[in-house]
Amino acid sequence: MESPEVAHTLNNQKETIQPETVKGSSYRAGNHGHLGPVFRVVVMIAIGVAFVYPIIGLLVAPTRTQANMALGGIAFGTLANVKYAWSQVMGFDNGIYLEWFKNTVIMVGGGTLLAIAISIPSGYAMARLQFPKRQALLFLTLLLMVMPNTVLVIPLFLEVSTVHLLNSLWPVVIIFGFYPFGVYLSYIHYRTALPMELIEAARVDGLTELAIFFRIAVPLSRQVVALVGFFSFVAGWTNFFLPYVLLPQTQQSPLAVGLLQMISSSQLINPEEGLNVKLYMPELALASIVTMLPVLLVFIGAQRYLQRGAMIGAIKE
Amino acid sequence: MLDNSAQPGITSAKTPSKNGKSVQKRNRPPSKGALILVAPFVVVMALVGVLPAIYALVESFASPTGNGFTAILNYVTVITNFRFLASFANVGLLLVVWLPMMIIGVVGMALLVDATRGRFGRLMMFIYYIPGALAGMTNFMLWLLLIDPGVSPVNFLLRALGATSLDGILASSSNVIWILAAMLFFEGAGSWILIVYGGLNSISDEVLDAAKIDGCSTWTTIWHVKLPLIKPWIGYLALMNFAYGFQIFLEPQVLNEVAQGLISPQWSPNQLSYTYAYSVGNTGAAAALSIILLVITLAIAMVVVTRTGILEQS
């Protein structure tokens, strides 16, 4: 069988029986003959097309002109159009787009580093050490993890405005640094992927708990650091509500909030808007595509860890 | 998207929930090291996760004039506001449309991928996941592109449905519901397919073989074996998305900017809360409404954590 490839798949246990499964289901379709699997494949491809077609439409939008887009469909225009669209994006409010980009990098970069620095040690302690109220802390972590973070935005606004810190970036960094899912990921990681024997051996050697964490657990944490980093980066980068509320000044906005500003200033919405630049669909599409590029880069960088991360589920004890 | 919903796909399938005690006994006495390691998390959790909730609770009982407490006056203000029920009705309708879409769509696609192992299945899984990467504003932009007949790559569909202008489409409140549902589905489905697929993957081969030997057809296997076995995942999917959907803010807020008055700026409860906090400056009312939302969300979260058995607690 195709064993070398099997080793790289997420669901390695079942992969090897793949030929039987496929044959079996067609056989079971009975009087339909091979209609079952064929039908399934057609449905799957149709859904795939429905998922990808709009995305391609968005990706090619900057290569087209507004007039060309009125024709509908998907067509690749020219790179000159992309260049023009970019000049319009850059011209909007004296290149504030770059300012938004910088704000986002500071907020999300800082938040992600903080999330990693906080999640890894606490996840380790909850998984491998004993301390008072450990169960309660774990329960609270799970509870906060499954609650959509939107629910705390207005309470956070009330808190932050009371201490007069609206429009300052660092409260947002700290809030992004609070990432219960990262703690949970670390917790699962250290429970499943770190051999207890290693820790026991280190204890026998007389290392303190802190020394064990820093000298044994941390060097074996690349995987979970990548996972926590990736998920918290994406969560922060795409977050809209929190910065929208905590950073009302345009100068402090991240990209997500800035895009809203571009949409509402666009001649697409207000044809009579007196802007110095032309913001139509190609320009808006380009601005939002460039906004997602860092996420794409981080995704590519973290990909091999993400695949292995999905395998954590396979390690059941 | 990749927000909290992406989570438990990565967790272990079986949940040994009641064995915490025996594990504890084997462990050693509390260590000072442990406290140092959890301290930063506990501090930030208190500051960002717990304190704001308590502060909002206190504020919700504070008098609007700033001196003393007024018991439930703020709650009365909020609940008797005509926008309050309307906003809950809006998200209620949205959930009625979107949740079944999500449950049937996600479970259906996960079953399809599960039935198609090998390279093709993996490729389709990856493709279904792609839209989930376009979260928030980019997803919104994509839908703005799709629904604007002036630029849409599917303008033939829009024309067939009789739509000629963006304003014309957004003027109908049922269209708005469908558009929001589509936006949420498009960005949410991918990671949930992965999670439900993880659930299907945890069904042991022996069970499936036994079903085959008993002569179950593909449909019988799905209906009587697979679906009952992944019930916890379906419950988890439903509850998490319920909690997420009724908190909706970004999509109606930005759609309101686009629609220029065709949609209420207080379409969802969170938008109403935002209006109280920002435009009206009624802190007490904003706090009261956010406490109402918090209580509902907390109740759902409790059920998710204690009942579905998806999340592993030691």
Side-chain angles (χ1 to χ4, degrees):
Chain A
M1 286 195 235
E2 3 138 25
S3 46
E5 198 209 314
V6 165
H8 295 287
T9 61
L10 306 183
N11 40 324
N12 39 7
Q13 321 117 311
K14 281 191 176 177
E15 205 58 47
T16 44
I17 60 151
Q18 178 247 332
E20 287 102 73
T21 316
V22 172
K23 272 198 204 111
S25 52
S26 66
Y27 158 75
R28 271 187 260 115
N31 47 2
H32 296 293
H34 284 276
L35 205 63
V38 171
F39 179 68
R40 190 178 68 219
V41 166
V42 169
V43 169
M44 288 176 81
I45 292 177
I47 298 172
V49 170
F51 269 46
V52 170
Y53 183 86
I55 295 175
I56 297 176
L58 181 75
L59 290 178
V60 297
T63 71
R64 308 173 74 179
T65 59
Q66 179 76 13
N68 180 273
M69 292 188 77
L71 303 173
I74 284 179
F76 192 88
T78 65
L79 289 177
N81 287 338
V82 180
K83 213 175 144 204
Y84 174 78
W86 183 244
S87 71
Q88 300 306 297
V89 171
M90 285 292 102
F92 177 70
D93 204 355
N94 302 314
I96 197 168
Y97 187 86
L98 293 180
E99 192 71 21
W100 294 334
F101 210 102
K102 195 185 82 190
N103 294 337
T104 321
V105 169
I106 294 172
M107 261 181 265
V108 181
T112 300
L113 291 179
L114 191 62
I116 293 172
I118 288 174
S119 304
I120 301 295
S122 57
Y124 172 82
M126 283 196 244
R128 289 304 193 188
L129 301 174
Q130 206 49 52
F131 54 91
K133 304 274 179 242
R134 179 180 153 278
Q135 286 290 354
L137 184 63
L138 184 59
F139 183 77
L140 193 57
T141 307
L142 288 178
L143 212 56
L144 283 159
M145 176 182 107
V146 299
M147 287 165 60
N149 51 19
T150 38
V151 77
L152 281 175
V153 169
I154 296 298
L156 280 165
F157 164 77
L158 299 176
E159 185 186 16
V160 170
S161 67
T162 305
V163 290
H164 304 291
L165 284 172
L166 287 182
N167 279 317
S168 111
L169 292 187
W170 67 264
V172 180
V173 171
I174 294 179
I175 296 168
F176 282 171
F178 173 63
Y179 195 53
F181 177 48
V183 177
Y184 181 68
L185 273 179
S186 320
Y187 168 79
I188 295 287
H189 174 83
Y190 291 118
R191 269 177 64 94
T192 54
L194 182 69
M196 199 60 196
E197 296 77 40
L198 268 181
I199 301 176
E200 291 296 345
R203 280 180 185 148
V204 172
D205 287 350
L207 257 67
T208 64
E209 293 300 346
L210 279 181
I212 294 172
F213 170 71
F214 283 109
R215 289 165 60 181
I216 295 178
V218 169
L220 293 172
S221 304
R222 226 202 275 180
Q223 157 94 45
V224 69
V225 167
L227 282 177
V228 175
F230 173 75
F231 285 120
S232 68
F233 183 86
V234 176
W237 197 271
T238 55
N239 193 323
F240 174 85
F241 194 14
L242 185 83
Y244 182 66
V245 171
L246 291 193
L247 306 164
Q249 271 172 24
T250 315
Q251 287 296 327
Q252 317 292 338
S253 290
L255 285 163
V257 179
L259 285 177
L260 168 62
Q261 181 119 16
M262 293 186 94
I263 292 180
S264 49
S265 313
S266 158
Q267 293 96 339
L268 205 63
I269 311 299
N270 293 310
E272 64 278 6
E273 181 94 24
L275 270 184
N276 58 334
V277 288
K278 291 201 167 67
L279 286 185
Y280 288 100
M281 205 57 208
E283 289 78 21
L284 294 179
L286 183 62
S288 58
I289 292 167
V290 174
T291 296
M292 290 309 281
L293 287 182
V295 172
L296 185 69
L297 288 179
V298 172
F299 178 76
I300 292 169
Q303 222 220 343
R304 61 200 182 108
Y305 298 105
L306 293 176
Q307 286 202 352
R308 270 189 255 145
M311 273 173 68
I312 293 180
I315 309 165
K316 289 178 230 163
E317 282 301 338
Chain B
M1 158 45 290
L2 287 172
D3 62 345
N4 325 34
S5 63
Q7 294 154 10
I10 324 177
T11 72
S12 61
K14 303 274 155 56
T15 331
S17 51
K18 294 285 189 297
N19 65 356
K21 288 286 179 289
S22 63
V23 173
Q24 276 176 22
K25 267 177 213 147
R26 269 185 300 146
N27 277 352
R28 17 199 68 223
S31 70
K32 211 186 272 170
L35 296 180
I36 296 173
L37 293 176
V38 291
F41 176 57
V42 173
V43 169
V44 176
M45 182 195 269
L47 212 59
V48 175
V50 179
L51 192 63
I54 295 172
Y55 185 66
L57 187 66
V58 173
E59 280 288 305
S60 75
F61 291 115
S63 132
T65 52
N67 37 28
F69 287 83
T70 55
I72 56 163
L73 193 68
N74 288 319
Y75 290 89
V76 174
T77 307
V78 167
I79 292 170
T80 53
N81 186 324
F82 72 96
R83 293 182 192 86
F84 176 79
L85 280 183
S87 70
F88 275 88
N90 286 336
V91 289
L93 261 178
L94 173 66
L95 288 169
V96 166
V97 172
W98 174 59
L99 272 188
M101 210 191 243
M102 199 69 181
I103 294 169
I104 296 168
V106 164
V107 173
M109 282 191 264
L111 283 168
L112 284 171
V113 174
D114 184 60
T116 318
R117 304 198 173 268
R119 212 170 282 173
F120 177 72
R122 284 202 302 279
L123 174 71
M124 294 321 285
M125 179 73 243
F126 178 70
I127 286 175
Y128 298 163
Y129 189 76
I130 296 174
L134 303 176
M137 277 307 290
T138 308
N139 180 55
F140 183 91
M141 204 69 94
L142 180 122
W143 280 92
L144 181 60
L145 169 72
L146 284 183
I147 61 171
D148 184 346
V151 289
S152 175
V154 292
N155 59 1
F156 54 93
L157 277 180
L158 297 173
R159 267 201 300 266
L161 294 169
T164 50
S165 76
L166 187 58
D167 284 356
I169 291 176
L170 295 177
S172 144
S173 57
S174 66
N175 281 352
V176 169
I177 299 270
W178 282 99
I179 290 167
L180 292 173
M183 284 179 179
L184 291 186
F185 178 80
F186 199 68
E187 71 174 351
S191 47
W192 281 103
I193 295 171
L194 207 61
I195 292 168
V196 174
Y197 175 72
L200 285 167
N201 216 25
S202 75
I203 299 174
S204 77
D205 289 334
E206 290 86 54
V207 172
L208 296 177
D209 287 342
K212 203 192 277 180
I213 291 165
D214 288 349
C216 289
S217 72
T218 311
W219 283 112
T220 330
T221 312
I222 288 175
W223 202 248
H224 293 287
V225 180
K226 290 184 177 176
L227 287 183
L229 282 171
I230 60 162
K231 237 188 229 163
W233 276 266
I234 300 174
Y236 184 70
L237 164 78
L239 284 168
M240 290 289 282
N241 283 294
F242 182 92
Y244 182 78
F246 106 99
Q247 300 276 334
I248 189 170
F249 179 83
L250 184 161
E251 287 80 4
Q253 181 77 8
V254 185
L255 208 54
N256 167 53
E257 293 276 344
V258 172
Q260 306 263 314
L262 291 171
I263 302 168
S264 159
Q266 291 86 29
W267 193 90
S268 76
N270 251 328
Q271 286 178 283
L272 181 58
S273 186
Y274 172 79
T275 308
Y276 272 127
Y278 248 85
S279 323
V280 186
N282 188 341
T283 325
L289 183 47
S290 63
I291 288 298
I292 294 174
L293 297 180
L294 188 64
V295 167
I296 300 172
T297 315
L298 201 61
I300 298 170
M302 289 288 268
V303 176
V304 169
V305 174
T306 58
R307 291 276 177 270
T308 60
I310 295 278
L311 303 168
E312 178 178 341
Q313 305 171 59
S314 71

